[in-house]
Amino acid sequence: MCSLSGASKRRSPRPLLISSTQAGSRSRSTVEQTVHGPRASKKRLNAMLLTFVVLGVLSGCGAGRDDPALRVQTLQGTALGQEVDQVRQWLGLPFAQAPVGELRFRAPQPPLPWTGVREAVEHQSACVQKSGFLNPSDEPYMGAEDCLYLNVYAASTEGRGTPKPVMVWIHGGGNTIGSAETYDPSDLAKDQGVVVVTTQYRMSSLGWFRHAALRERNSEPTDQSGNFGTLDTIEALRWVQSNIEAFGGDPNNVTIFGESAGGHNVAALMASPLASGLFHKAIIQSGILSVGDLVHAEAPYPASRQANSISSFEVINELLILQGLASTREEAANRQRGLSNAEIQSLLLESEPTMLLDAESKARPVGVGMTRAFPDGTVIHSEGILGALIDPSFPLVPLIIGTNREENKLFNMRNNDYVRWGPASSVLSFLPNLPQEILKPDAYAALNQFGSGLWKLRAGDDIARLLATREDAPVYLYRFDWNHFGVVNDVDLQELIGAAHAVELLFLFPKALDNLFVQYALTDESEDDAKKLSASMRAYWGAFAHSGAPSPLDSSLTEWPPFTIDAPRSLQFDGALGAGITIHEGELVLETLLEDLASNEAIDDQTRCEIFTRATFGDGNALPEQATTMFYRAACSDFDRLGYIERELSRLAQGEQID
């Protein structure tokens, strides 16, 4: 196995990756180690079927290490990369100092220089995060605080020639899990003539955390913002501006792109005055554009424990209990109020990062959304992301934005009310369980149709309409529809998973289409169809990175028009097994979604009201008050909304973030 130079620290455990076996890869793929390894745990195996939507191909040690093109001079020092499958890779490059000790809860500092040659041939540790079904591990936590690293990928062409467009990928994971290592963008770099950077950032309370004691400690407005994870992505873009020319990239043509929480982080960069000029185009895939709540982020919870952000006050309460300094929340709150700011600072800076995340997990309120940036007025526009987008003084860039047709299936497929899981059988008997049956097909379909429609509205059509009114820069809207999976264990995966949240990542990073678990989910026909659509999708993304317009050179591909107020059009991505790549005329509005749910004759009134409540409860999900009131009056007049929330939804307060 390749290793970093002797000065490098030993790596922490990494999230589970799904890998295909390839020439030049490490001795055994992660999948092989996990499935066949003598110490494979049930917990890890239990995650296998679900994790096929999470991309990842491990990169191996390539030959030709004496190639001068692999030796690059950055501002910090000389880095020596590797070549794998005609793609040059430089892995684990630091873009900031390790945010440890006194640098915890502060803006990232520029990276320190090194002497000699740094062997950039291995990924560095993921940022510290809790293990879960999307990143299973035998340990409750993985990663490290020393995690501010990025990776660079460039095609192995003769000479560098004209600088290539740069694409900077920001991973998703609810801003609580994930890593740059999970994604292998080699195909994008190779067939689209771009340089791709994948980067990491601090997550959870280590990435977004506000408290008065920290503001007293920190004099810089950026340090006081609480937006440390956002600042990490800005620092990565600054590194790109300073260094990417050495890798053949054009610092004047940078596209940022990300999915889910990564899409939110792309939108946050669009709303950050500090990021202005560091990128020139953006792609938001299934992103969340709401922001954190400045008040709820610091205030004690009410008796209902409903809040729009995780409270630092409540996190410190739980931290005091975990450290044996209090027995109850009430006792902890009283003790906390008696601490000086200096004592709170010491508590936050000296606690183990895993204990901080344990405290955060215990402090999750009812109805909280995913971890998001705060509208502090320095790092993020004071009116939030949407406020920045409508601010005429705020610059816009060309944008691709869209969602998947069946987003919510990823989050509903493990709901025991709708899907029965049980022991695996036949060729998949090494798995502890598999989906056995969709218990309520009509209700499951209605739940996902309404929830996914709301996602498309909030993260697609509404944003396209908003930006189209400004006319500063073009916006291109899409929906990803490909859902042609096969049958596993007598369950139709098209119905269970379909075009769920994150499925498009298999197409953008297509090495994942060759991994073991995706192969089980595909038929020969659908695999061929998926690979063809993958090539087309990458062509659109690549064309956008080159010119700011997703118009591939391949004239056989459908022309993608911009979304305008007069002509609200979008591109729908499907393969030949479906409708193909087509233009959709028209736009989605809330009234249509509500009418479709209210008139759905396949479900009863109780189910209808449960679906509506589940989809519109909690931070970031609420509809306009008038629309909510009218729906309950018309379709749910006898429904016990508060009772349902208390009985069924409050249990989600401590649920694992899987966005």
Side-chain angles (χ1 to χ4, degrees):
M1 178 180 291
C2 295
S3 60
L4 294 175
S5 60
S8 299
K9 61 173 288 183
R10 194 169 186 173
R11 300 182 61 216
S12 299
R14 298 176 302 217
L16 171 69
L17 304 178
I18 300 176
S19 306
S20 61
T21 303
Q22 54 182 312
S25 66
R26 295 172 182 170
S27 59
R28 300 184 72 186
S29 73
T30 303
V31 166
E32 289 172 329
Q33 292 172 358
T34 302
V35 174
H36 303 297
R39 301 183 66 181
S41 70
K42 280 190 175 182
K43 178 179 178 183
R44 182 179 289 156
L45 293 175
N46 189 36
M48 289 303 167
L49 179 67
L50 299 177
T51 52
F52 85 86
V53 296
V54 181
L55 276 297
V57 180
L58 291 176
S59 299
C61 301
R65 294 294 307 287
D66 57 346
D67 184 349
L70 295 174
R71 189 181 293 261
V72 172
Q73 185 65 41
T74 73
L75 291 184
Q76 291 74 46
T78 303
L80 181 63
Q82 63 187 358
E83 182 175 329
V84 178
D85 192 22
Q86 301 178 357
V87 175
R88 293 194 293 264
Q89 305 174 352
W90 294 267
L91 309 178
L93 296 173
F95 66 84
Q97 294 178 41
V100 299
E102 285 297 313
L103 294 184
R104 182 189 283 179
F105 300 123
R106 278 194 162 138
Q109 299 300 303
L112 298 173
W114 63 80
T115 58
V117 177
R118 181 187 182 96
E119 290 198 9
V121 296
E122 272 203 351
H123 293 278
Q124 289 292 288
S125 174
C127 291
V128 63
Q129 57 194 274
K130 195 171 185 177
S131 303
F133 81 81
L134 289 183
N135 58 348
S137 170
D138 292 327
E139 301 297 329
Y141 288 97
M142 59 179 61
E145 285 194 272
D146 181 4
C147 64
L148 299 186
Y149 298 90
L150 52 73
N151 312 304
V152 181
Y153 301 78
S156 302
T157 54
E158 289 293 332
R160 295 226 171 100
T162 303
K164 296 179 175 63
V166 180
M167 301 185 74
V168 179
W169 174 254
I170 303 173
H171 71 78
N175 280 336
T176 60
I177 64 171
S179 72
E181 181 178 1
T182 307
Y183 306 87
D184 186 338
S186 296
D187 293 279
L188 264 176
K190 186 163 49 177
D191 61 38
Q192 297 306 313
V194 295
V195 175
V196 185
V197 176
T198 63
T199 189
Q200 302 189 149
Y201 53 91
R202 283 171 281 182
M203 298 181 290
S204 301
S205 290
L206 292 166
W208 288 272
F209 192 83
R210 290 176 60 86
H211 196 280
L214 295 178
R215 287 196 293 279
E216 181 186 79
R217 165 190 181 240
N218 300 328
S219 60
E220 292 295 326
T222 50
D223 291 336
Q224 294 179 347
S225 73
N227 287 311
F228 311 111
T230 305
L231 288 163
D232 291 343
T233 59
I234 293 172
E235 191 67 25
L237 291 177
R238 289 177 177 144
W239 185 96
V240 167
Q241 286 296 309
S242 300
N243 291 287
I244 206 63
E245 279 188 282
F247 299 86
D250 183 357
N252 297 310
N253 190 2
V254 175
T255 299
I256 55 175
F257 66 137
E259 182 268 345
S260 191
H264 168 82
N265 295 333
V266 167
L269 290 169
M270 294 178 67
S272 175
L274 302 182
S276 181
L278 298 179
F279 63 94
H280 312 93
K281 295 176 285 292
I283 303 174
I284 300 175
Q285 300 171 210
S286 304
I288 309 295
L289 274 69
S290 59
V291 291
D293 189 299
L294 293 176
V295 174
H296 289 196
E298 300 186 46
Y301 297 147
S304 67
R305 285 187 65 89
Q306 290 191 27
N308 295 339
S309 288
I310 297 173
S311 164
S312 60
F313 182 86
E314 301 291 352
V315 170
I316 292 174
N317 282 345
E318 298 294 344
L319 197 56
L320 291 170
I321 294 172
L322 287 172
Q323 295 195 2
L325 301 175
S327 301
T328 65
R329 176 178 175 271
E330 292 73 23
E331 182 182 339
N334 290 331
R335 184 177 181 89
Q336 180 180 172
R337 291 185 178 99
L339 296 176
S340 67
N341 281 340
E343 289 171 323
I344 292 176
Q345 292 169 23
S346 296
L347 180 69
L348 291 171
L349 293 176
E350 295 172 9
S351 294
E352 288 295 322
T354 54
M355 184 172 285
L356 279 171
L357 297 193
D358 264 341
E360 176 191 314
S361 179
K362 294 177 181 296
R364 286 185 67 85
V366 174
V368 71
M370 70 166 226
T371 301
R372 291 152 300 155
F374 296 115
D376 66 298
T378 297
V379 178
I380 302 295
H381 193 289
S382 60
E383 297 299 320
I385 293 171
L386 297 181
L389 296 183
I390 63 175
D391 185 344
S393 68
F394 227 73
L396 292 181
V397 297
L399 174 68
I400 289 176
I401 190 167
T403 60
N404 292 1
R405 181 179 180 179
E406 298 162 308
E407 292 276 1
N408 289 60
K409 284 187 174 180
L410 176 65
F411 309 103
N412 293 328
M413 61 185 287
R414 290 291 287 181
N415 188 322
N416 293 329
D417 291 339
Y418 295 94
V419 182
R420 179 171 62 86
W421 287 68
S425 59
S426 187
V427 70
L428 296 174
S429 59
F430 57 84
L431 294 173
N433 65 9
L434 281 174
Q436 307 290 319
E437 179 186 7
I438 300 176
L439 298 172
K440 306 172 184 177
D442 291 336
Y444 186 71
L447 173 68
N448 290 300
Q449 180 180 353
F450 183 63
S452 301
L454 284 178
W455 201 318
K456 173 173 168 54
L457 183 72
R458 295 170 175 138
D461 294 60
D462 278 353
I463 307 305
R465 275 190 292 269
L466 184 152
L467 295 178
T469 60
R470 282 192 54 175
E471 299 181 341
D472 294 49
V475 56
Y476 299 89
L477 181 65
Y478 77 88
R479 189 180 77 182
F480 183 84
D481 284 12
W482 195 97
N483 62 359
H484 308 291
F485 293 107
V487 176
V488 173
N489 203 44
D490 295 326
V491 174
D492 188 342
L493 296 186
Q494 180 170 330
E495 298 299 321
L496 180 71
I497 301 170
H501 188 67
V503 166
E504 91 281 9
L505 298 181
L506 301 171
F507 295 73
L508 195 57
F509 305 99
K511 281 187 170 55
L513 290 171
D514 295 326
N515 78 60
L516 174 65
F517 301 101
V518 175
Q519 288 292 303
Y520 279 125
L522 297 172
T523 65
D524 290 342
E525 187 179 25
S526 65
E527 179 184 2
D528 182 63
D529 193 52
K531 290 186 175 181
K532 290 178 180 177
L533 180 60
S534 170
S536 298
M537 185 175 176
R538 296 196 313 277
Y540 284 104
W541 263 236
F544 183 73
H546 276 271
S547 68
S551 302
L553 296 177
D554 185 349
S555 59
S556 68
L557 293 176
T558 302
E559 185 74 15
W560 188 347
F563 182 102
T564 65
I565 296 299
D566 296 331
R569 295 173 292 179
S570 59
L571 198 68
Q572 295 188 350
F573 285 98
D574 203 346
L577 293 178
I581 300 176
T582 57
I583 298 296
H584 174 73
E585 304 279 351
E587 53 191 325
L588 184 64
V589 294
L590 178 59
E591 290 74 19
T592 299
L593 289 175
L594 296 177
E595 288 171 5
D596 288 346
L597 179 61
S599 62
N600 189 333
E601 297 180 354
I603 56 176
D604 58 32
D605 288 343
Q606 178 70 18
T607 300
R608 188 185 336 276
C609 299
E610 290 179 359
I611 288 173
F612 180 81
T613 303
R614 181 182 292 273
T616 59
F617 173 77
D619 175 46
N621 294 325
L623 299 180
E625 184 176 351
Q626 182 179 8
T628 300
T629 300
M630 289 181 63
F631 188 88
Y632 277 117
R633 285 177 179 172
C636 304
S637 59
D638 297 327
F639 179 68
D640 182 8
R641 176 180 179 271
L642 295 179
Y644 178 74
I645 290 173
E646 182 177 356
R647 183 176 64 255
E648 298 295 331
L649 300 183
S650 296
R651 60 188 173 86
L652 300 179
Q654 302 300 323
E656 181 181 333
Q657 185 74 36
I658 59 173
D659 210 359

